[in-house]
Amino acid sequence: MKDFIIPDRDFGTPESKSKVMVTLNVDGFDVTVPEGTSVMRAAAEAGITVPKLCASDNMAAFGSCRLCLVEIEGRNGTPASCTTPVAPGMKVHTQTGQLKQLRRGVMELYISDHPLDCLTCSANGDCELQDMAGAVGLRDVRYEAVENHFTPKNTAGELNRQWMPKDDSNPYFTYDPAKCIVCSRCVRACEEVQGTFALTIEGRGFDSRVSAGAASDSFLTSDCVSCGACVQACPTATLQEKSVIDIGTPERSVITTCAYCGVGCSFKAEMRGDELVRMVPYKHGKANRGHSCVKGRFAYGYASHKDRILNPMIRETINDPWQEVTWEEALGFAARRMKDIQAKHGRQSVGVITSSRCTNEETYLVQKLTRAVFMNNNTDTCARVCHSPTGYGLGQTFGTSAGTQDFDSVEQTDVVVVIGANPTDGHPVFASRLKKRLRQGAKLIVIDPRRIDLVKSPHIEAAHHLALKPGTNVAVVTSIAHVIVTEGLADESFIRERCDWDEFQDYAEFVADPRHAPEATELLTGVPAAELRAAARLFAKGGNGAIYYGLGVTEHSQGSTTVIGIANLAMLTGNIGRPGVGVNPLRGQNNVQGSCDMGSFPHELPGYRHVKNDSAREVFEKLWGVTLDHEPGLRIPNMLDAAVEGTFKGLYCQGEDILQSDPDTKHVAAGLAAMDCVIVHDLFLNETANYAHVFLPGSSFLEKDGTFTNAERRINRVRKVMAPKNGFGDWEVTQMLANAMGAGWTYTHPSQIMDEIAATTPSFAGVSYEKLETEGSVQWPCNEAHPLGTPLMHVDGFMRGKGKFIRTEYVATDEKTGPRFPLLLTTGRILSQYNVGAQTRRTANTVWHEEDVLEIHPHDAEVRGVKDRDWVRLASRSGDTSLRAKLTDRVSPGVVYTTFHHPSTQANVITTDFSDWATNCPEYKVTAVQVSPSNGPSDWQEDYASQATLARRILPAAE
Amino acid sequence: MSPDKLIYMANQIATFFESKPHDEGVRGIADHISDFWEPRMRRQFFQLVEAGAAGFKPLVLEAAPQIRRPAEA
């Protein structure tokens, strides 16, 4: 695949990490490269491109295409430059009479079995085979193949049995076997880059064919996860994006950041005019290193989906249909209502929810709106329902509310612990990088009630899977600490140097108590003691130990306690402050880290400074010319409670869908219905908008400038590649709303907002768009002490000074199973869908997941008379819903599992209002439920659907 | 917020701090509620405590005097 405008030169083979340098001579030029570099790469370093077809610098050399031959003085023959390592003093010739003839001969053979339809081929202008034919000067093809793979019929009109039709089963790309040169790049990309092993070369010699899955499989039915690595690797039109077939080649590319998960992959948005042709992962992106998943690579169609609302709308009450109005009218209406509410019900009666899908700049403005214009601290964000315990737990123990490493760190990890996370579905590109390390020999411990893919998949097997009962994380983590302390596996010198020794001793005494021994906790956690002991020993003594965790840790009544327990484990084993170790929360949404950094929480100003601190408030008071409230504001669940009791009446909600994503849907609906002014600012009429009075159309990540901060604290640029279809970037809309309320803001570009963030927030002091332009990205803290950012945190000492050990007593959740609700429901996500599905449901990704299903163990299903694909009623003490059952032993008996991507399922009707003791993060991961056979949707689902239909009526615009 | 829910939340915080040394635990509860509870919630909390509402854990009641009083509404 060729590059447009921004050349990502392909050096042919991967970089060597050796520190020993070797000098050789290529075509008369001396070049010095690290030992272990291929001759091909050395030549490329010298600026000489050796012709090649099967080599690519993101995978190991393969040596099959025979095009990259070179001559080396003193050696026989013409070795392949991709598989030949450099040697000191080597003299290489890349272009000789013999080589020219050989290469032309090789190309001639390739072309003899390749159709010559270049002009109408979808890869025209983007084909390496075409380029190489040109490069070697191929002018004539002398062979007339008796048999070939590309004509459906021979000249006599008989079917060609070697010809295979195009496979267009995948919604995003096609496989055309007629164009294949069997270079194996796709197969190797699937193995080495993605780690799925869905592709293989079937047959041998002339019969060799790329094959997805078994013989009866198409690409869609195979194990293929549609990451696009094979499509990117393919040098011809064999694997080709359907969008390129449809549109043609792009003419320019713009580097930007994916708007899906917290990995924050860098992409090249390849454009023709203002039409997006394709998204290609950017090789120099430091989070993804040139890889992607199906969402970022292909699922961008929502941005131009017909459901997008492009005009502002208002209505008197939520029972009225929507009325399209001008921006001026909509903003005037919203501002009037908010002012009236504040006049009548007080300053504290309105608030905002910032978006973890919007940019840092946009989030900063929304929290500024509430602090400086509404004059209160009622701001919260979706992190409340996902990683707020991370903020609390890591803040208490280490002194900073973020992951400690960069993603590159996984390349140096020896033992990986994955707790309550499912990276192959939730954070796929990180999962690919992790799997690569596991295939190199790193050990894996999975702590999860469900058998996630990482537990066992091709060439990956966890050393230990601790399949605990939902809700017992603290008991398991504390038991691991018990083993480490009582068996003398702790890293005492690290603890003495870096942590508070007295606090450690108190903690050690606490965990050493026999009630924390794995033999004692086994009864409640369901984890065999011997297995837990073995896992603890491996983590403590297996080399660099890194912990990665997700929402299976945080979304519990004891979420914050588990985060503290994880931090304790890392300190206990000295696994902090160098590459390959650390505590790594896998953040859910693209900018949830950023939204937290930007002061979205009601108790914290940007940079995690409590509103009670006079000095922090003063910085903003001086700049904004207002007096800030020193009291913490309302969190999302508190806002809803206050709404129900009548003291909270107005909400500006940007890019979040709390009605679908937050727990206990009925309570959320009641809270929203009790408000006088709900302003929803979004791409679509989402579920929350059913209860809104003002709808302000949003812009997609392709339509604005800004920055996202990913799970490794990396601040990446988001770049505008097309004009906003709704007319304004989201930051402009927030500014217009603020100004309608009299704020007088005058930002003309998001870079000015970043300058204000840098001026007020110490950890961002060194961040500017100029720096991001030159560096590509930086990881905060980025300031005078760390001008280029901080890939690894707590290297010489913890942010808070000494690391703090805190006791972690296990407390059983009050959500208990019993005769009425004997099963435990836990929730998660799936690869092809994202969060509430507002984006991915509006793409062809639905082909992989068109509805949420309930995973149930065959034993639990049998005693209930439930068969696979049956409708079942899922009930908890909060409510009930219906969905289809899927029988699987991935879940243990007693545990059921579902996803929450579809509003029609309403999984959150079931979840309860129990929440984390410290942060009110809801307990999504444990709900006591009963499952019974059902005929179809529940009454609630039907009522909900009809209310939603009514609430979404739009009157034609007034003439 | 319903009184039950508020009492439940306060007790949840106290449960975490029960494993701390006594004085540290009491201070921990008080700081946590002062730092994270919006004045409306703290106001309701004090009303309940002062009305002698049942159900609070003893440690919560012990921490109450150290919790920051919100300004009158």
Side-chain angles (χ1 to χ4, degrees):
Chain A
M1 197 190 67
K2 232 162 49 175
D3 286 301
F4 294 87
I5 308 303
I6 301 162
D8 287 347
R9 231 180 119 205
D10 187 334
F11 287 79
T13 62
E15 193 182 6
S16 163
K17 304 259 192 234
S18 174
K19 298 272 183 284
V20 185
M21 300 306 280
V22 171
T23 301
L24 69 158
N25 185 288
V26 182
D27 292 342
F29 299 97
D30 279 342
V31 55
T32 304
V33 293
E35 193 176 34
T37 302
S38 70
V39 169
M40 175 183 276
R41 190 175 176 106
E45 300 271 1
I48 294 165
T49 306
V50 181
K52 66 180 182 62
L53 279 170
C54 75
S56 173
D57 60 9
N58 63 342
M59 35 191 153
F62 195 56
S64 86
C65 76
R66 313 316 294 170
L67 208 59
C68 71
L69 311 176
V70 291
E71 285 181 33
I72 298 171
E73 285 183 22
R75 292 198 192 180
N76 290 333
T78 51
S81 63
C82 63
T83 52
T84 307
V86 295
M90 192 182 242
K91 282 196 188 331
V92 179
H93 299 280
T94 71
Q95 184 78 345
T96 67
Q98 181 185 218
L99 291 171
K100 289 201 285 195
Q101 208 178 347
L102 281 171
R103 286 190 194 131
R104 221 174 268 179
V106 170
M107 275 311 291
E108 207 173 337
L109 283 167
Y110 272 117
I111 299 304
S112 71
D113 192 13
H114 195 85
L116 296 177
D117 61 350
C118 290
L119 281 182
T120 53
C121 176
S122 60
N124 187 14
D126 184 19
C127 174
E128 291 181 38
L129 190 68
Q130 198 177 45
D131 294 348
M132 288 305 113
V136 303
L138 181 71
R139 300 290 171 249
D140 191 18
V141 178
R142 291 164 295 168
Y143 310 113
E144 224 173 275
V146 185
E147 282 185 87
N148 69 46
H149 293 97
F150 63 86
T151 48
K153 287 177 184 172
N154 66 16
T155 42
E158 294 159 339
L159 284 180
N160 174 4
R161 279 192 299 179
Q162 295 282 358
W163 179 83
M164 284 162 59
K166 228 180 189 181
D167 175 351
D168 57 5
S169 59
N170 183 293
Y172 298 117
F173 62 85
T174 62
Y175 166 53
D176 185 355
K179 302 264 165 99
C180 180
I181 59 169
V182 203
C183 64
S184 297
R185 269 163 73 163
C186 53
V187 177
R188 289 147 59 214
C190 192
E191 291 179 10
E192 294 178 38
V193 180
Q194 165 58 27
T196 291
F197 295 79
L199 302 182
T200 189
I201 300 287
E202 197 179 65
R204 49 201 296 192
F206 196 69
D207 295 328
S208 304
R209 311 303 286 254
V210 172
S211 170
S216 57
D217 276 325
S218 66
F219 264 75
L220 188 64
T221 61
S222 73
D223 288 342
C224 168
V225 292
S226 199
C227 68
C230 58
V231 181
Q232 201 182 345
C234 181
T236 69
T238 310
L239 289 160
Q240 182 79 65
E241 295 93 347
K242 286 183 177 173
S243 60
V244 172
I245 297 175
D246 185 39
I247 302 168
T249 48
E251 44 85 21
R252 71 195 155 97
S253 70
V254 182
I255 295 176
T256 191
T257 304
C258 178
Y260 282 115
C261 78
V263 177
C265 296
S266 296
F267 276 87
K268 291 194 297 182
E270 297 194 341
M271 309 293 297
R272 176 157 289 281
D274 69 349
E275 186 170 22
L276 180 58
V277 177
R278 65 181 169 193
M279 294 286 278
V280 178
Y282 181 45
K283 196 160 122 181
H284 305 293
K286 289 176 185 149
N288 56 320
R289 302 284 177 193
H291 190 39
S292 61
C293 80
V294 59
K295 295 190 284 285
R297 178 79 154 90
F298 295 117
Y300 49 78
Y302 69 88
S304 49
H305 194 275
K306 63 176 172 47
D307 284 355
R308 251 186 89 172
I309 304 288
L310 302 176
N311 297 308
M313 303 189 294
I314 57 171
R315 56 184 171 188
E316 271 305 312
T317 75
I318 58 168
N319 302 316
D320 298 326
W322 285 107
Q323 178 81 53
E324 284 187 2
V325 292
T326 63
W327 279 97
E328 210 180 349
E329 280 175 86
L331 294 161
F333 179 90
R336 249 189 333 273
R337 280 218 170 178
M338 293 301 247
K339 277 187 188 161
D340 288 350
I341 291 171
Q342 283 194 301
K344 202 166 148 198
H345 299 278
R347 194 160 50 88
Q348 311 290 351
S349 58
V350 298
V352 298
I353 295 178
T354 73
S355 175
S356 294
R357 294 176 213 170
C358 285
T359 62
N360 284 317
E361 293 74 5
E362 287 163 343
T363 305
Y364 178 87
L365 286 196
V366 174
Q367 62 89 33
K368 179 174 175 177
L369 173 70
T370 206
R371 298 195 203 277
V373 182
F374 298 165
M375 306 297 291
N376 63 43
N377 289 317
N378 294 331
T379 170
D380 209 353
T381 190
C382 93
R384 174 66 51 212
V385 300
C386 66
H387 266 292
S388 53
T390 293
Y392 180 82
L394 297 186
Q396 292 287 313
T397 49
F398 296 164
T400 186
S401 304
T404 63
Q405 312 294 112
D406 56 6
F407 286 133
D408 283 351
S409 165
V410 77
E411 292 170 9
Q412 297 180 55
T413 298
D414 301 310
V415 182
V416 181
V417 184
V418 174
I419 312 182
N422 184 8
T424 51
D425 281 284
H427 303 84
V429 170
F430 166 70
S432 289
R433 300 189 66 180
L434 168 62
K435 289 202 283 188
K436 191 171 192 170
R437 182 63 191 155
L438 294 173
R439 289 196 304 275
Q440 290 166 352
K443 297 282 186 290
L444 173 67
I445 299 165
V446 173
I447 306 180
D448 201 293
R450 189 165 162 268
R451 193 180 71 234
I452 58 171
D453 282 348
L454 275 181
V455 172
K456 198 170 185 329
S457 60
H459 299 269
I460 303 289
E461 185 165 10
H464 304 285
H465 175 210
L466 311 184
L468 75 181
K469 285 198 187 118
T472 61
N473 288 334
V474 172
V476 170
V477 168
T478 307
S479 271
I480 293 175
H482 171 91
V483 176
I484 292 169
V485 167
T486 55
E487 295 191 8
L489 308 173
D491 183 346
E492 195 181 315
S493 61
F494 176 91
I495 299 167
R496 278 188 187 277
E497 189 191 326
R498 303 284 304 274
C499 306
D500 186 301
W501 185 250
D502 291 340
E503 279 163 356
F504 164 69
Q505 285 187 312
D506 173 71
Y507 174 73
E509 186 195 316
F510 165 78
V511 294
D513 190 288
R515 74 179 191 282
H516 300 303
E519 290 73 18
T521 55
E522 179 173 344
L523 276 177
L524 55 116
T525 63
V527 177
E531 191 78 10
L532 189 145
R533 281 192 183 271
R537 289 170 195 145
L538 175 62
F539 176 65
K541 289 293 166 194
N544 284 341
I547 304 175
Y548 292 85
Y549 71 89
L551 304 183
V553 159
T554 54
E555 289 175 346
H556 288 277
S557 289
Q558 276 203 291
S560 291
T561 315
T562 311
V563 174
I564 290 170
I566 286 170
N568 287 340
L569 285 183
M571 291 189 289
L572 208 50
T573 51
N575 278 316
I576 284 286
R578 60 179 193 278
V581 300
V583 173
N584 306 275
L586 293 169
R587 310 294 305 242
Q589 303 215 49
N590 53 328
N591 198 38
V592 67
Q593 180 69 54
S595 73
C596 297
D597 302 341
M598 291 300 105
S600 292
F601 285 142
H603 64 284
E604 278 171 344
L605 293 162
Y608 304 100
R609 289 166 293 171
H610 202 285
V611 292
K612 72 183 176 188
N613 296 332
D614 296 344
S615 59
R617 282 202 319 282
E618 209 172 285
V619 173
F620 293 94
E621 286 176 340
K622 270 196 188 138
L623 193 70
W624 296 347
V626 294
T627 305
L628 297 181
D629 192 347
H630 66 282
E631 286 281 15
L634 294 166
R635 299 171 286 196
I636 293 172
N638 310 148
M639 288 180 190
L640 295 166
D641 285 329
V644 170
E645 76 186 19
T647 63
F648 188 83
K649 291 285 195 183
L651 178 68
Y652 169 46
C653 179
Q654 181 179 69
E656 287 295 341
D657 194 359
I658 56 170
L659 185 60
Q660 193 184 341
S661 65
D662 285 36
D664 199 355
T665 308
K666 290 175 181 171
H667 181 62
V668 180
L672 289 169
M675 295 188 206
D676 292 338
C677 183
V678 175
I679 307 166
V680 166
H681 181 181
D682 206 284
L683 297 175
F684 306 105
L685 275 175
N686 60 18
E687 305 307 306
T688 308
N690 296 345
Y691 291 87
H693 307 82
V694 180
F695 185 90
L696 302 175
S699 53
S700 81
F701 75 112
L702 298 166
E703 302 167 354
K704 58 199 181 187
D705 282 305
T707 56
F708 289 154
T709 307
N710 75 356
E712 38 163 21
R713 295 169 278 106
R714 185 181 302 287
I715 305 160
N716 261 319
R717 270 301 309 277
V718 176
R719 290 187 175 85
K720 182 173 171 175
V721 300
M722 58 179 77
K725 292 188 195 300
N726 59 324
F728 299 99
D730 295 328
W731 60 276
E732 292 173 283
V733 174
T734 305
Q735 169 161 287
M736 292 190 298
L737 177 62
N739 287 347
M741 295 194 62
W745 295 352
T746 55
Y747 305 103
T748 56
H749 191 270
S751 63
Q752 298 159 351
I753 307 172
M754 182 51 84
D755 291 343
E756 184 173 319
I757 297 165
T760 51
T761 310
S763 50
F764 278 70
V767 182
S768 68
Y769 277 34
E770 294 77 57
K771 185 170 283 177
L772 294 172
E773 214 57 55
T774 52
E775 298 302 318
S777 65
V778 293
Q779 287 170 271
W780 66 258
C782 175
N783 47 31
E784 225 168 275
H786 307 279
L788 296 181
T790 313
L792 300 177
M793 290 193 94
H794 319 298
V795 173
D796 301 313
F798 285 100
M799 295 290 277
R800 71 183 298 279
K802 292 278 187 187
K804 184 179 174 67
F805 282 97
I806 300 176
R807 291 182 174 210
T808 52
E809 188 72 68
Y810 167 69
V811 180
T813 171
D814 287 322
E815 180 66 14
K816 292 189 196 325
T817 53
R820 276 181 69 211
F821 303 112
L823 302 170
L824 282 180
L825 169 74
T826 185
T827 57
R829 62 160 79 168
I830 201 161
L831 171 67
S832 57
Q833 297 285 349
Y834 177 70
N835 200 276
V836 295
Q839 293 139 290
T840 44
R841 277 185 284 113
R842 291 181 172 93
T843 69
N845 276 24
T846 46
V847 71
W848 288 281
H849 185 80
E850 54 180 1
E851 60 182 342
D852 295 320
V853 295
L854 184 77
E855 289 189 4
I856 182 168
H857 192 275
H859 175 77
D860 289 327
E862 193 178 351
V863 297
R864 287 168 176 79
V866 169
K867 294 190 295 298
D868 202 47
R869 297 291 296 158
D870 275 359
W871 276 96
V872 291
R873 175 174 175 272
L874 176 68
S876 74
R877 64 181 172 84
S878 285
D880 64 295
T881 189
S882 291
L883 68 175
R884 288 183 193 276
K886 180 183 176 184
L887 272 54
T888 172
D889 65 356
R890 281 195 154 202
V891 288
S892 307
V895 177
V896 292
Y897 169 90
T898 189
T899 48
F900 58 96
H901 300 304
H902 290 268
S904 54
T905 318
Q906 290 286 345
N908 280 325
V909 173
I910 307 301
T911 51
T912 66
D913 66 352
F914 282 129
S915 66
D916 175 49
W917 67 268
T919 67
N920 272 176
C921 179
E923 187 163 61
Y924 286 122
K925 299 295 182 181
V926 191
T927 311
V929 293
Q930 178 58 296
V931 173
S932 50
S934 153
N935 292 324
S938 68
D939 291 347
W940 160 262
Q941 279 164 299
E942 280 171 6
D943 291 351
Y944 183 90
S946 61
Q947 193 273 344
T949 311
L950 271 180
R952 290 198 173 107
R953 287 170 301 159
I954 301 174
L955 287 181
E959 291 297 319
Chain B
M1 185 182 311
S2 82
D4 288 352
K5 190 166 168 186
L6 190 125
I7 294 169
Y8 182 83
M9 279 169 58
N11 286 347
Q12 251 189 312
I13 296 166
T15 306
F16 175 78
F17 287 101
E18 270 167 6
S19 63
K20 308 286 167 292
H22 179 264
D23 291 355
E24 190 189 328
V26 170
R27 201 174 55 246
I29 297 168
D31 288 350
H32 194 92
I33 292 179
S34 301
D35 281 355
F36 296 102
W37 284 24
E38 202 254 2
R40 254 167 282 192
M41 295 166 65
R42 301 209 308 274
R43 223 169 274 137
Q44 192 185 354
F45 171 80
F46 281 117
Q47 280 164 9
L48 287 167
V49 170
E50 280 148 22
F56 281 114
K57 287 196 168 203
L59 214 53
V60 175
L61 297 174
E62 229 178 301
Q66 294 183 39
I67 295 171
R68 197 166 72 251
R69 288 213 169 241
E72 287 305 309

